[in-house]
Amino acid sequence: MTKLPQISEAEFEVMKIVWKYAPINTNEITERLVQTTSWRPKTIQTLIKRLVTKGVLAYEKQSRVFVYTPLVKESEYINQESNSFLGRYYDGDITAMLSSYIENDRLSETEIDTLRALLSKRSEKGGN
């Protein structure tokens, strides 16, 4: 897998909107983000331009409006970031990460139950 561009937390907020609603135009992105952030429309437009420059978003001009589509799948980006985090903080050891979360009470009972269900389903399938 090729390394995907690094994006900031603010850029990630824009991407979450694009991933969910693509194809989506500038005005629609702006309308959604001004409801959930304190950003001005100009700030949002700057973030969109950065994402285009980084090769994460593509655009097409339709009439007088720019319509955006992602060039990177959300699952690919999340996977890369998860692997990066895991490698940086836990030497790639997911067991160490989960142990840390559990020992420091950073997982709710619901999250632990969800993990149990996932592990149970995995072992029923005969996974490694």
Side-chain angles (χ1 to χ4, degrees), residues 25-56:
N25 70 45
T26 309
N27 293 336
E28 293 168 328
I29 295 170
T30 302
E31 286 171 19
R32 292 187 182 283
L33 285 170
V34 294
Q35 292 175 8
T36 59
T37 67
S38 59
W39 300 338
R40 293 200 159 102
K42 196 78 176 154
T43 301
I44 296 166
Q45 290 171 7
T46 299
L47 292 168
I48 293 169
K49 286 178 191 171
R50 284 188 199 160
L51 290 164
V52 169
T53 301
K54 290 180 178 187
V56 179

Side-chain angles (χ1 to χ4, degrees), residues 6-126:
Q6 203 55 43
I7 63 174
S8 69
E9 286 186 44
E11 292 165 342
F12 184 69
E13 291 303 312
V14 173
M15 286 304 297
K16 287 194 296 189
I17 299 295
V18 176
W19 280 319
K20 187 170 185 176
Y21 300 103
I24 184 169
N25 70 45
T26 309
N27 293 336
E28 293 168 328
I29 295 170
T30 302
E31 286 171 19
R32 292 187 182 283
L33 285 170
V34 294
Q35 292 175 8
T36 59
T37 67
S38 59
W39 300 338
R40 293 200 159 102
K42 196 78 176 154
T43 301
I44 296 166
Q45 290 171 7
T46 299
L47 292 168
I48 293 169
K49 286 178 191 171
R50 284 188 199 160
L51 290 164
V52 169
T53 301
K54 290 180 178 187
V56 179
L57 283 183
Y59 68 91
E60 180 180 306
K61 191 169 184 181
Q62 295 179 357
S63 180
R64 300 175 69 193
V65 179
F66 289 95
V67 177
Y68 296 90
T69 54
L71 293 174
V72 172
K73 291 181 181 173
E74 182 177 19
S75 59
E76 289 175 5
Y77 189 77
I78 298 291
N79 190 36
Q80 173 181 288
E81 288 303 299
S82 298
N83 288 339
S84 175
F85 174 82
L86 189 59
R88 185 176 12 215
Y89 296 104
Y90 296 98
D91 293 327
D93 184 354
I94 195 163
T95 304
M97 183 189 79
L98 287 171
S99 295
S100 172
Y101 273 69
I102 291 167
E103 289 169 11
N104 293 304
D105 292 324
R106 292 172 62 193
L107 293 177
S108 69
E109 285 303 317
T110 304
E111 290 168 324
I112 292 170
D113 289 342
T114 301
L115 286 170
R116 278 191 187 109
L118 289 169
L119 291 169
S120 177
K121 188 187 329 182
R122 172 86 174 157
S123 57
E124 288 170 9
K125 285 169 59 177

